[in-house]
Amino acid sequence: MKRKNIWLGLSMSLMLVAAGCGNNNAAVNNGANAGNTPANATSAPADTGSADTKSYTIAISQYVEHPSLDATREGFLAALKDAGIVEGENLKVDLENAQADQANNLSIAQKIAGDKNDLVLAIATPSAQSIVQKVKDTPILFAAVTDPLDAKLVSDLEHPGGNVSGASDTNPESITRLMNFIATQFPDVKKLGLVINEGEPNAVVMADIAKEELDKHGIELVKAAITNTSEVKQAAESLIGRVDALYITLDNSVVSGVDTIIQTANDNKLPFFSADRDTVEKGAFATVGFKYYDHGYQVGEMAVEVLKNGTSPGDMKITMQEKLDLILNLKAAAAQGIEVTDAMKAEVADPDNNIIQ
């Protein structure tokens, strides 16, 4: 199957899932405020606030530390805490970080497969792929995964089956809206530079859909490939003089080294666009996205269903983020020589939260 067809299937299936999630205890609405229970959640997790005398053990495999993945983990644990499953009280957490190294990633999956856990959380596509490959009997949930079908984590988004479910961190509309924003608000951008690790399937999927959208506007996507985080700075600098702006996807190897891209963009007065809010908060100019804390909280509520109610992950639909907005960083704009117009600001639905001063 061609990749764009896989993506189309993902988009259509996830929209169907989201449309029906209002009556599904495993699915929750995306919230508005990082660090807090999602504000628009229609119901709390199962047995919220009730005493829980049972003890639980959870393993978390996280591919690398960076703000989006860290916020995902924090939101996940917060949902458990709100349901009475509290780390250090009745919850033991085995947190493993692969440091963006695939050999470490596989070793972690093998270790977790040999341990006794009540549930395993895999954060990011490479970790999820390794965990699904090695862990066969323990319930698995994944988060921060772009395309669960392309990553071969599940074969059906509405009925995953087996011991696996989770949430995608990408709504295809977010890429379309961001590329349209670039095309309409930055008419001088004819070439968009992308630092990418093509060894990360999630990054390739997003790059392909971005290219498809950019082609509609006559904008060329120029790639600078890396194989690990240490190469990010050189790759970003290699794009100087060849492109009119910079962009990154939800590429873990790249996001881990994003400070060097921000510096390159600022030094050379190049607009820098990202696929996640956390990178905009650090110094990219714009994205169309959401808060990863809320994404993690959503998966945490799914975990409560598994742990407290005995729900099988295979019976839980894959969910995605529905609450999207344009997010602008005005300090980054000044550093990158961008004049933020009223037309740009008008595209932000929630300026109080999504225009960063």
Side-chain angles (χ1 to χ4, degrees):
M1 182 182 293
K2 293 183 179 179
R3 186 177 303 278
K4 68 178 181 179
N5 291 335
I6 293 173
W7 185 271
L8 179 61
L10 173 67
S11 176
M12 293 179 66
S13 296
L14 285 176
M15 285 188 284
L16 288 172
V17 169
C21 72
N23 295 320
N24 184 346
N25 288 334
V28 297
N29 295 322
N30 184 43
N33 300 309
N36 297 293
T37 301
N40 63 339
T42 57
S43 62
D47 298 332
T48 298
S50 61
D52 193 338
T53 57
K54 182 179 178 180
S55 295
Y56 304 91
T57 300
I58 292 176
I60 300 177
S61 176
Q62 182 171 322
Y63 187 59
V64 69
E65 287 185 335
H66 64 62
S68 295
L69 300 190
D70 294 344
T72 298
R73 186 185 71 249
E74 291 162 6
F76 175 83
L77 293 173
L80 294 180
K81 183 177 181 180
D82 287 347
I85 304 174
V86 183
E87 186 176 5
E89 294 181 10
N90 59 347
L91 172 63
K92 178 181 178 182
V93 178
D94 174 19
L95 174 60
E96 303 286 349
N97 174 19
Q99 300 176 332
D101 184 289
Q102 187 57 21
N104 290 343
N105 198 38
L106 290 171
S107 296
I108 288 169
Q110 290 171 341
K111 173 190 177 298
I112 290 174
D115 293 340
K116 186 176 181 180
N117 294 291
D118 297 296
L119 183 141
V120 179
L121 171 67
I123 303 177
T125 300
S127 290
Q129 289 175 315
S130 295
I131 289 294
V132 169
Q133 179 184 357
K134 299 295 183 181
V135 178
K136 300 303 181 182
D137 299 320
T138 305
I140 299 169
L141 294 176
F142 58 74
V145 168
T146 297
D147 188 340
L149 295 177
D150 185 72
K152 295 180 171 56
L153 300 177
V154 296
S155 58
D156 189 316
L157 297 171
E158 293 193 70
H159 307 283
N163 63 328
V164 182
S165 190
S168 169
D169 64 351
T170 298
N171 183 326
E173 182 187 351
S174 66
I175 303 172
T176 300
R177 285 177 56 183
L178 182 60
M179 296 305 113
N180 287 338
F181 175 77
I182 294 170
T184 57
Q185 301 298 336
F186 293 83
D188 292 336
V189 172
K190 303 301 180 184
K191 294 184 178 182
L192 183 64
L194 171 68
V195 179
I196 182 172
N197 178 3
E198 293 185 304
E200 288 201 31
N202 48 306
V204 174
V205 168
M206 294 187 72
D208 285 352
I209 201 69
K211 182 180 185 305
E212 187 173 316
E213 293 300 320
L214 291 170
D215 285 346
K216 297 175 183 177
H217 299 286
I219 299 173
E220 180 183 354
L221 186 66
V222 180
K223 297 180 181 179
I226 66 162
T227 58
N228 57 63
T229 300
S230 66
E231 299 171 353
V232 170
K233 183 176 186 293
Q234 182 178 356
E237 291 175 344
S238 75
L239 292 168
I240 301 306
R242 302 165 53 207
V243 301
D244 307 304
L246 299 173
Y247 168 61
I248 63 170
T249 67
L250 300 176
D251 185 326
N252 296 295
S253 301
V254 175
V255 174
S256 295
V258 76
D259 288 344
T260 61
I261 303 180
I262 293 169
Q263 189 62 53
T264 300
N266 294 349
D267 290 345
N268 293 276
K269 303 301 179 186
L270 284 178
F272 175 33
F273 304 92
S274 74
D276 67 295
R277 180 191 181 95
D278 294 293
T279 297
V280 172
E281 290 181 348
K282 291 189 75 172
F285 168 58
T287 191
V288 173
F290 54 90
K291 291 179 181 289
Y292 268 80
Y293 179 96
D294 297 339
H295 172 67
Y297 195 98
Q298 173 180 327
V299 181
E301 291 204 341
M302 296 175 74
V304 171
E305 286 294 321
V306 174
L307 296 172
K308 286 200 166 188
N309 294 344
T311 305
S312 170
D315 295 332
M316 306 171 83
K317 297 176 181 180
I318 308 300
T319 60
M320 74 169 183
Q321 299 304 307
E322 283 296 296
K323 186 175 181 179
L324 300 174
D325 196 6
L326 178 67
I327 303 161
L328 304 178
N329 183 327
L330 301 189
K331 288 183 179 179
Q336 293 160 23
I338 301 168
E339 180 184 354
V340 181
T341 65
D342 290 341
M344 292 180 187
K345 292 180 180 180
E347 293 196 31
V348 182
D350 182 5
D352 290 340
N353 285 311
N354 293 330
I355 294 182
I356 301 168
Q357 303 290 341

